[in-house]
Amino acid sequence: MPDTTAADPLAHYPSWARELARRYFTKTLNQFILHGNVRDLVPTLDERGQRAYVPLREFLAEDLFAGRDVVVFYDRSDGIHFEDPESRKDFNRALSGYDTIFGTEYAKKLPKDPARVFALLDNYFRLRLADGKRIACVVDYAETVIPMSEAASYSSEDRAALVTLQKWAHDPLLLRADFTLALIAENLNDLSRAFIQSPYNAELEITFPEMDERQGFVAWFLGQQRDGRARFKKLSSVEDLTLAQNTAGLGYVQLRTILADVLENERPLTFESLSEKKKELIEAEAYGLLEFVETDYTLDMVAGHAEAKQHLRGAAEAIKAGRPDVMPMGYLVSGPVGTGKTFLVTTFAGEIGIPMVKLKNFRSQWQGVTEGNLEKILTLLRAMNPVAVMIDEADAALGDRNAQGDSGVSSRVFGQIAQAMSDTRFRGKIIWFLVTARPDLMPVDLKRQGRAEEHLGLFYPSTREDREELLRVMMRKTGVEVDMSDVPDALLDGERTYSGADMEALLTRAKFRAATHAFDEEPAPAEAAPSGDGVATEAPAPPEAAEDHSDGARIDRETLQAVVDDFVPPSYPLQVELQTLVAVMECTSRSMLPERFRSLDREATVRRVGELKRLVGDR
C-alpha cells in the first residue's frame, strides 16, 4: 500500500474522489454534486497509513480537502460551521467588517437561510481568495437549498440560492483560484433541474461497496475489535466470504450493524438470520418502497402454462450456471385476469436462487418526491445485483412518455425506468418482470427489444387435462379433497372456461357450504347422566363424532354440484376476450403460444381487438 500511494497519492481514494480530483485539476469545474450512498462510511488511510473508514464529512474535511486553508460546511439546520477554530476567528473578523459596511448584526447571530448565508460566504470567499487562500465549501442536504420544483413555484429565497450557485460555477475569479464547492444529496432528482443540467458542474455518484470491498471491511472491522476474529468465528456459521457475497446492496454502516450485533450482543449469525437482516435493512433503506418476494413455491406448483414454464426453467438454469449474457433484459407477462401472472413470477423467485423484489407504490403527491423515490430504488437495485424485479399492474405504475396533467412526473418516471431497463451492463443481473392484463396500454418503448425483450402470454385452460391439473392445484391451496370422479362435467368439459381464481372461489364456497350444513345438523349436547355415586358426568361421544385427522375438507359430489350450479361469476366476457387477444398479439415467440392460438390470423385478430375496444369503451 505505501508504495502504491507514493506512486499515486490518490490511489487509496474511492473512484468518485479520484474523479473529482481529476476534473478539478482541469481548472474548468469547481462545483461537484455528490449523490447516492452519501450517508455511508468512506474508506481511506489514517495518519499511520493504515486502512480506516470515516464518515463522508470527515473524509472531505481531513483528507480530500486537507490541503485547503479554509473548509466551511453549511446546511439549513446547523448553519455555517468551520473545521478549525482559526478559520472561524478569521470569518468572524470578516463578518465584523460586513456588518459595518451593510449595517447588519450577523456577528451576534448568524443567519441560516440560504439567501443570506450565501451573501455572507460570497463576500468572505472573494476577500480571502484575493489573498491567495485555498477554500473548500461543502453544502449538505442540498435538496433543502435548491429543491426540485417547477420554475414558477420557486420562492424568492430558492431563486436567490440557485442564482448564487450558478454564478459561482462560472465566475472567473473562483475558477482561477483554488476553490471547490461540493453539494451533497442522496438523490440527484431531488435537486433543481436547472442546476443539475448545467454544464458548469459535475455529478459524482457514491456507489454502494462491491463484494471485495465488503469483504475488506469485514476483515478490518473484526481486526479492530478485541479478539474480534475469534469471537465472530465462535458465534457465526457464516464465513467472511459468504457474508460479503450475500450482502449486496448494503453499505459499510449496515455491515457494521450486523457485525456489532454478533460481537456486542453475542447473537449467533446464520445464513437464515443474515437473509432476514439484509431484507430488513434494504427495505428500510428504500423507505419501505421495496418488498422482498419470499416463497417456498417453485414452477412445479404452477398448473398449465407449459410453454411459459419451460422457458422460465431454462432461464433459471442459465442464471444458476452463471450465464447472465444469455438472459433477456426483462419480461412482459400478460394475459387475462385470473390466469396466475403474479403467481407465476413469484414461483420463479423460488426457482432461481437470487433475491426478487416487488416495487410498491413509489408515487407521492409532493412535487419531486416521486422521482427521488424511484432514483433511490434504482440505486439500490444496481447495488443488489443479481436481483429480479416485479412490477405488478405495470400499465398503471410506470407512466408514459406523453402523459399530461401531472407536471411531467409520469414522463420523468417513464424515462428513469426506461433508462434503467436498457442498461446492458446489468443484463441478467437485474431481471425485470412487467406484469399486466393490458399490455396494449403500455408504451411501446418499454416493450421493445432491449428492455422487456421476452413477452409471455398466460391463458385460461382449455383442455380437460389442463383443467384437472389446475383443479388439483387449487384443491391443495384451499385444503379441499374431492375425488376427480365426483367433479361435475361442467367444471372440466363444459363450454364455460374457469380461471384459477374461479376454481378457488368454487372450492372455498363448497367448503363453506359443507361446514355450515355440518353446523346445522350437529346434534344438541347430550344431557349429563348421573353416575353411581350421584356425581354428574358427560355422556360418551358417539364413534362418528371422533376427531377428524385428515389434512383437507372432504367435499362430496352433491355439495360440489350444487355449488357449481349456483355459481355466477362476475360477467365480463368482452374484457376477457380483449385481454386474451392482446396477450396473443404481444407474445414474441410463436412456440410459447398454446396450440389453439398459433394459427390465428393476425389481421383478423387486430380487427377484433379494435372492435372489442369500441364495445367496452376503451381506447
Side-chain angles (χ1 to χ4, degrees):
M1 181 73 70
D3 293 337
T4 305
T5 305
D8 179 5
L10 304 180
H12 66 285
Y13 282 174
S15 58
W16 65 265
R18 295 197 301 271
E19 180 66 11
L20 186 152
R22 184 188 69 80
R23 294 197 184 191
Y24 174 75
F25 286 134
T26 65
K27 292 295 183 181
T28 58
L29 288 173
N30 63 13
Q31 289 191 4
F32 301 90
I33 306 171
L34 307 181
H35 65 99
N37 188 29
V38 297
R39 306 302 168 198
D40 202 5
L41 302 176
V42 180
T44 185
L45 299 179
D46 60 21
E47 62 277 1
R48 298 172 299 170
Q50 301 298 316
R51 175 64 67 184
Y53 294 83
V54 299
L56 177 60
R57 174 170 174 152
E58 182 179 334
F59 174 78
L60 293 174
E62 300 182 8
D63 203 323
L64 191 61
F65 298 142
R68 305 301 174 92
D69 299 303
V70 177
V71 179
V72 56
F73 285 85
Y74 166 69
D75 66 67
R76 293 192 69 137
S77 175
D78 294 335
I80 300 173
H81 279 269
F82 291 86
E83 280 303 297
D84 63 279
E86 288 303 317
S87 296
R88 179 65 193 221
K89 290 178 182 178
D90 182 64
F91 178 73
N92 286 339
R93 287 193 296 269
L95 193 58
S96 298
Y98 187 95
D99 283 343
T100 301
I101 295 172
F102 294 99
T104 55
E105 296 183 347
Y106 292 149
K108 294 181 180 180
K109 185 178 181 180
L110 280 173
K112 292 185 178 181
D113 61 283
R116 292 187 293 170
V117 164
F118 285 170
L120 287 177
L121 291 178
D122 183 72
N123 178 75
Y124 178 67
F125 292 159
R126 294 181 186 280
L127 284 174
R128 294 301 175 252
L129 290 174
D131 294 337
K133 297 289 187 180
R134 298 167 297 171
I135 299 175
C137 177
V138 179
V139 178
D140 204 353
Y141 300 97
E143 68 276 9
T144 65
V145 177
I146 47 170
M148 200 292 286
S149 180
E150 298 300 322
S153 303
Y154 266 37
S155 66
S156 58
E157 182 181 276
D158 292 339
R159 292 176 189 274
L162 178 59
V163 170
T164 300
L165 292 176
Q166 289 176 325
K167 285 168 58 179
W168 286 355
H170 51 76
D171 188 290
L173 172 62
L174 301 184
L175 286 172
R176 285 196 309 268
D178 200 347
F179 173 80
T180 306
L181 174 68
L183 297 101
I184 301 174
E186 285 193 55
N187 301 319
L188 200 60
N189 280 293
D190 289 342
L191 301 179
S192 163
R193 196 165 294 106
F195 185 79
I196 61 177
Q197 291 175 349
S198 168
Y200 297 105
N201 54 51
E203 301 92 33
L204 300 174
E205 182 180 4
I206 301 179
T207 59
F208 284 82
E210 298 290 341
M211 193 271 286
D212 57 334
E213 295 170 323
R214 296 192 299 272
Q215 188 176 8
F217 177 81
V218 171
W220 173 84
F221 183 86
L222 295 178
Q224 297 295 111
Q225 311 302 310
R226 181 177 57 82
D227 298 326
R229 173 65 61 185
R231 289 191 290 142
F232 182 76
K233 188 173 183 180
K234 179 182 178 181
L235 291 165
S236 174
S237 59
V238 180
E239 297 291 335
D240 289 12
L241 179 60
T242 306
L243 177 60
Q245 288 173 333
N246 289 275
T247 48
L250 299 185
Y252 298 123
V253 170
Q254 295 159 319
L255 271 175
R256 184 177 63 185
T257 300
I258 294 173
L259 294 169
D261 190 38
V262 175
L263 297 182
E264 301 301 326
N265 299 325
E266 297 188 350
R267 296 184 63 179
L269 183 66
T270 64
F271 186 80
E272 291 74 20
S273 64
L274 174 62
S275 298
E276 188 62 30
K277 287 177 186 291
K278 175 185 174 180
K279 170 180 172 292
E280 292 174 1
L281 290 169
I282 289 182
E283 287 182 349
E285 183 74 16
Y287 313 134
L289 301 175
L290 280 182
E291 177 185 350
F292 277 78
V293 178
E294 295 184 302
T295 178
D296 295 327
Y297 297 150
T298 66
L299 288 167
D300 294 332
M301 299 291 294
V302 177
H305 311 313
E307 298 82 3
K309 286 192 296 185
Q310 181 180 359
H311 174 85
L312 291 177
R313 284 197 174 100
E317 290 302 319
I319 294 171
K320 293 175 183 176
R323 292 298 307 276
D325 56 303
V326 304
M327 289 292 296
M329 295 293 292
Y331 290 88
L332 175 67
V333 183
S334 60
V337 293
T339 49
K341 299 181 290 296
T342 302
F343 182 70
L344 176 75
V345 177
T346 302
T347 60
F348 182 71
E351 192 93 12
I352 56 180
I354 66 174
M356 174 175 277
V357 295
K358 183 176 181 180
L359 260 65
K360 299 171 78 172
N361 183 16
F362 53 82
R363 293 178 179 268
S364 170
Q365 61 178 324
W366 307 112
Q367 192 170 35
V369 175
T370 296
E371 297 93 317
N373 287 344
L374 185 54
E375 181 183 345
K376 182 71 171 180
I377 290 170
L378 296 176
T379 298
L380 278 170
L381 292 178
R382 289 192 293 269
M384 287 172 62
N385 78 88
V387 63
V389 185
M390 175 167 60
I391 304 179
D392 215 347
E393 306 296 341
D395 56 301
L398 298 183
D400 192 299
R401 189 186 299 279
N402 301 315
Q404 303 292 328
D406 60 358
S407 301
V409 172
S410 291
S411 62
R412 290 193 292 272
V413 165
F414 171 85
Q416 287 177 270
I417 288 284
Q419 184 178 8
M421 289 183 64
S422 59
D423 191 340
T424 54
R425 294 175 302 166
F426 296 98
R427 177 180 291 276
K429 298 176 182 177
I430 301 179
I431 308 168
W432 298 87
F433 285 88
L434 310 184
V435 181
T436 176
R438 289 296 304 272
D440 55 310
L441 299 183
M442 291 185 60
V444 174
D445 282 5
L446 290 183
K447 300 185 292 183
R448 69 167 175 81
Q449 296 301 295
R451 289 181 180 143
E453 295 178 335
E454 289 284 358
H455 298 188
L456 307 179
L458 307 186
F459 306 97
Y460 295 141
S462 58
T463 66
R464 183 182 179 90
E465 292 75 16
D466 288 344
R467 294 182 182 184
E468 285 187 4
E469 182 184 7
L470 182 58
L471 183 60
R472 288 191 177 95
V473 169
M474 289 301 123
M475 284 194 290
R476 289 198 298 272
K477 183 176 180 181
T478 57
V480 170
E481 293 182 6
V482 181
D483 289 335
M484 204 57 65
S485 59
D486 290 337
V487 177
D489 290 338
L491 195 57
L492 301 178
D493 287 321
E495 294 184 1
R496 170 171 172 71
T497 300
Y498 291 88
S499 69
D502 290 339
M503 288 189 178
E504 182 178 355
L506 279 168
L507 293 173
T508 302
R509 289 189 184 190
K511 187 162 62 170
F512 174 81
R513 186 184 185 94
T516 52
H517 283 195
F519 296 148
D520 292 341
E521 298 170 2
E522 187 175 308
E527 294 183 4
S531 63
D533 57 4
V535 178
T537 59
E538 196 171 283
E544 60 271 20
E547 184 180 355
D548 183 10
H549 293 282
S550 62
D551 293 330
R554 170 67 64 176
I555 304 298
D556 57 37
R557 180 184 183 87
E558 290 73 20
T559 300
L560 186 57
Q561 182 68 62
V563 169
V564 171
D565 293 342
D566 182 63
F567 184 62
V568 182
S571 180
Y572 33 71
L574 294 180
Q575 287 89 340
V576 168
E577 183 183 358
L578 174 59
Q579 292 169 359
T580 300
L581 291 181
V582 293
V584 172
M585 296 288 293
E586 287 289 348
C587 191
T588 52
S589 176
R590 191 182 301 273
S591 63
M592 283 194 285
L593 282 172
E595 187 65 40
R596 68 185 186 279
F597 293 126
R598 294 178 187 175
S599 58
L600 284 181
D601 180 85
R602 193 168 186 84
E603 291 185 5
T605 304
V606 170
R607 288 195 298 271
R608 180 56 179 166
V609 166
E611 180 182 349
L612 288 168
K613 287 186 176 183
R614 289 191 295 273
L615 290 173
V616 301
D618 206 348
R619 58 184 172 92

